[in-house]
């Protein structure tokens, strides 16, 4: 049986799943404690339900994904519209530190993959698929390298293995990032209390933009500016493709949004309401994540049975431990470092979009962390992709891989 969802049905179901996820999170102290995002709960629950039904009745879901990319671009454009570089200028040194930490993490992920592949008597390239190719790189990078492995190295089932490993990373990153950040926050509060003898002042949670006064004019103006940013970003992305500057399109949306915001600030032009930008961005990100997660083929993870699944799980635990023990300390062991560490877990296992959703959930509960919202998308989406390619080239040069 095949279920075909048109654009209207896809949007309706995605919106309904948001409220289903919200209801579940409100009723679960555990999900609230570890800041599991509402869209992740709603989308993953639907994918899991569909997989269980598929065990009894063969069922396949096809949905209209027309809105997925525009929603992601809209979120990053609103993120740029809220980024004032004057308040973020202090992040220069930490940007370099975080990039180096990502490089070290990718190196370790691949080392674990190769060592475990040897221990489990697998082809070394399977170990790399369970390393930074599918985890830090995500589905797109996994598909690209898997096709190459199948064509040049005759690795059977490379595409299926790569896609399944990336899907497993998406699930694990969504589930592990919140708990890591929450535990780091508790550790930072305990250290502050021990040093001062007083309980630290609680950060002021971000007000929910949906329950703050926003006029129709403010909302529509932000939506207009957001759409213009997406249009400009799409044009720039197309122009840059032939120059060798391979920035992903959503990062161009972020950069264009930042330029618009800061030029407006420089010339004292008012009109971009931060609360309206947060509302538009929150809706866009929530719907994008639900659409991405609800279409996951969880049963395809059966292709991971045994060895490769073990590699992915070990790398997920390594990534969480790396962020907890190394990244947080390198960035100052404070609240901002905790949010960045949680974002690194999500970006290092799932996607930058998941990282942004997790950080958004954390800051809504505990307070603003603007530096994290600058560092993670730039390092996790742009610099990490370039660094990942260089790290992988170094591994391909190893004699055991035969390149």
């Amino acid at each position: 049986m095949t279920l075909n969802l048109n654009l209207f049905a896809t949007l309706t179901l995605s919106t309904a799943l948001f409220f289903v996820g919200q209801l579940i999170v409100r009723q679960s102290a555990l999900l609230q404690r570890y800041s599991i995002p509402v869209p992740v709960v709603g989308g993953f629950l639907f994918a899991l339900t569909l997989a269980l039904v598929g065990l009894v009745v063969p069922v396949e879901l096809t949905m209209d994904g027309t809105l997925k990319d525009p929603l992601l671009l809209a979120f990053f454009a609103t993120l740029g519209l809220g980024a004032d570089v004057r308040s973020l200028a202090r992040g220069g040194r930490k940007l370099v530190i975080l990039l180096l930490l990502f490089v070290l993490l990718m190196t370790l992920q691949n080392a674990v993959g190769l060592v475990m592949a040897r221990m489990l008597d697998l082809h070394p390239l399977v170990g790399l698929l369970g390393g930074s190719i599918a985890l830090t790189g995500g589905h797109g990078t996994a598909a690209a390298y898997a096709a190459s492995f199948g064509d040049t190295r005759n690795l059977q089932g490379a595409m299926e293995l790569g896609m399944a490993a990336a899907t497993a990373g998406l699930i694990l990153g969504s589930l592990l990032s919140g708990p890591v950040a929450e535990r780091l926050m508790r550790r930072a509060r305990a250290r502050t209390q021990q040093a001062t003898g007083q309980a630290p002042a609680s950060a002021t949670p971000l007000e929910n933009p949906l329950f703050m006064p926003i006029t129709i004019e403010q909302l529509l103006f932000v939506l207009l500016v957001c759409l213009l940013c997406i249009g400009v970003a799409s044009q720039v992305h197309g122009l840059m493709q032939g120059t060798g500057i391979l920035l992903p399109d959503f990062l161009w949306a972020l950069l264009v949004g930042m330029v618009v915001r800061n030029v407006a600030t420089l010339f004292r032009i008012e009109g971009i309401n931060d609360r309206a930008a947060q509302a538009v961005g929150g809706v866009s990100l929530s719907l994008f994540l639900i659409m991405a997660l609800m279409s996951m083929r969880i049963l395809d993870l059966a292709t991971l049975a045994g060895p490769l699944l073990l590699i992915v799980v070990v790398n997920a635990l390594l990534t969480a431990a790396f962020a907890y023990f190394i990244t947080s300390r390198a960035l100052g062991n404070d609240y901002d470092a905790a949010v960045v560490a949680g974002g690194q877990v999500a970006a290092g296992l799932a996607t930058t979009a998941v990282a942004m959703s997790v950080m958004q959930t954390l800051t809504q509960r505990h307070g603003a962390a603007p530096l994290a919202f600058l560092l993670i998308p730039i390092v996790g989406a742009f610099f990490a992709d370039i660094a990942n390619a260089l790290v992988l080239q170094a591994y391909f040069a190893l004699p055991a891989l035969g390149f």
Side-chain angles (χ1 to χ4, degrees):
M1 180 174 64
T2 301
L3 300 176
N4 296 306
L5 302 182
N6 59 22
L7 179 60
F8 178 76
T10 300
L11 185 58
T12 302
L13 179 59
S14 301
T15 306
L17 287 175
F18 175 86
F19 290 102
V20 171
Q22 185 181 62
L23 178 63
I24 294 173
V25 170
R26 285 179 175 175
Q27 299 299 319
S28 172
L30 183 65
L31 294 177
Q32 293 179 39
R33 176 182 176 86
Y34 291 115
S35 297
I36 305 300
V38 166
V40 170
V41 175
F44 178 70
L45 179 64
F46 179 83
L48 181 61
T49 302
L50 195 65
L52 294 176
V53 171
L55 294 175
V56 180
V57 180
V59 59
E60 183 177 351
L61 174 70
T62 60
M63 66 178 197
D64 191 321
T66 304
L67 286 177
K68 276 180 62 178
D69 288 343
L71 286 170
L72 184 64
L73 293 176
F75 168 70
F76 278 96
T78 59
L79 194 64
L81 292 175
D84 188 338
V85 295
R86 294 176 302 178
S87 63
L88 301 173
R90 60 189 176 90
R93 185 178 67 88
K94 291 188 175 181
L95 185 73
V96 176
I97 293 174
L98 185 61
L99 174 58
L100 294 175
L101 291 172
F102 262 94
V103 171
L104 178 57
L105 175 61
M106 290 182 286
T107 303
L108 292 174
Q109 286 178 339
N110 290 324
V112 167
L114 288 177
V115 170
M116 292 193 65
R118 184 177 181 83
M119 292 171 57
L120 298 170
D121 196 27
L122 298 173
H123 194 288
L125 293 179
V126 175
L128 291 184
L129 284 175
S132 72
I133 289 178
L135 298 182
T136 302
H139 287 81
T141 302
Y145 279 104
S148 174
F149 294 165
D151 293 339
T152 62
R153 308 303 301 170
N154 198 28
L155 183 63
Q156 298 300 314
M159 184 62 70
E160 290 79 6
L161 290 172
M163 292 299 97
T167 301
L170 182 68
I171 295 171
L172 292 170
S174 301
L175 297 178
L176 290 175
S177 49
V180 167
E182 290 282 357
R183 187 170 180 84
L184 285 170
M185 290 177 189
R186 290 196 296 272
R187 189 179 73 180
R189 285 194 294 267
R191 184 181 296 106
T192 302
Q193 185 173 3
Q194 184 178 14
T196 63
Q198 300 178 355
S202 299
T204 304
L206 292 180
E207 296 180 86
N208 191 332
L210 296 177
F211 294 94
M212 296 178 66
I214 302 173
T215 67
I216 295 176
E217 289 81 4
Q218 290 172 334
L219 196 61
L220 287 177
F221 184 74
V222 167
L223 183 59
L224 173 62
V225 175
C226 178
L227 292 172
L228 291 174
C229 289
I230 293 174
V232 173
S234 298
Q235 293 297 319
V236 174
H237 178 66
L239 292 173
M240 289 296 176
Q241 283 186 327
T243 67
I245 302 177
L246 300 179
L247 282 174
D249 53 358
F250 63 82
L251 196 55
W252 281 118
L254 170 68
L255 294 174
V256 171
M258 289 180 63
V259 170
V260 170
R261 168 58 187 265
N262 289 279
V263 168
T265 301
L266 181 64
F267 290 98
R268 302 176 184 267
I269 301 173
E270 298 183 357
I272 300 176
N273 183 275
D274 288 338
R275 298 188 300 274
Q278 289 172 13
V280 172
V283 170
S284 300
L285 180 61
S286 296
L287 290 176
F288 168 81
L289 279 178
I290 291 173
M291 289 180 184
L293 291 169
M294 65 186 274
S295 60
M296 285 194 314
R297 300 176 182 271
I298 293 183
L299 290 180
D300 288 349
L301 291 178
T303 59
L304 278 171
L308 185 54
L309 176 60
L310 183 60
I311 294 175
V312 172
V313 170
V314 170
N315 260 328
L317 296 176
L318 165 72
T319 302
F322 184 93
Y324 185 84
F325 291 106
I326 298 178
T327 300
S328 62
R329 286 179 166 84
L331 295 179
N333 252 338
D334 54 12
Y335 172 74
D336 282 324
V339 177
V340 172
Q344 185 187 38
V345 174
L349 294 175
T351 65
T352 306
V354 172
M356 303 307 290
S357 180
V358 170
M359 294 193 301
Q360 191 176 70
T361 302
L362 289 165
T363 53
Q364 284 175 352
R365 289 190 61 201
H366 301 289
L371 188 61
F373 283 86
L374 176 71
L375 296 182
I376 288 297
I378 291 179
V379 175
F382 172 45
F383 289 119
D385 281 346
I386 296 174
N388 194 18
L390 296 176
V391 169
L392 287 169
Q393 288 302 316
Y395 274 97
F396 292 153
L398 296 175
L401 295 180
F403 276 89

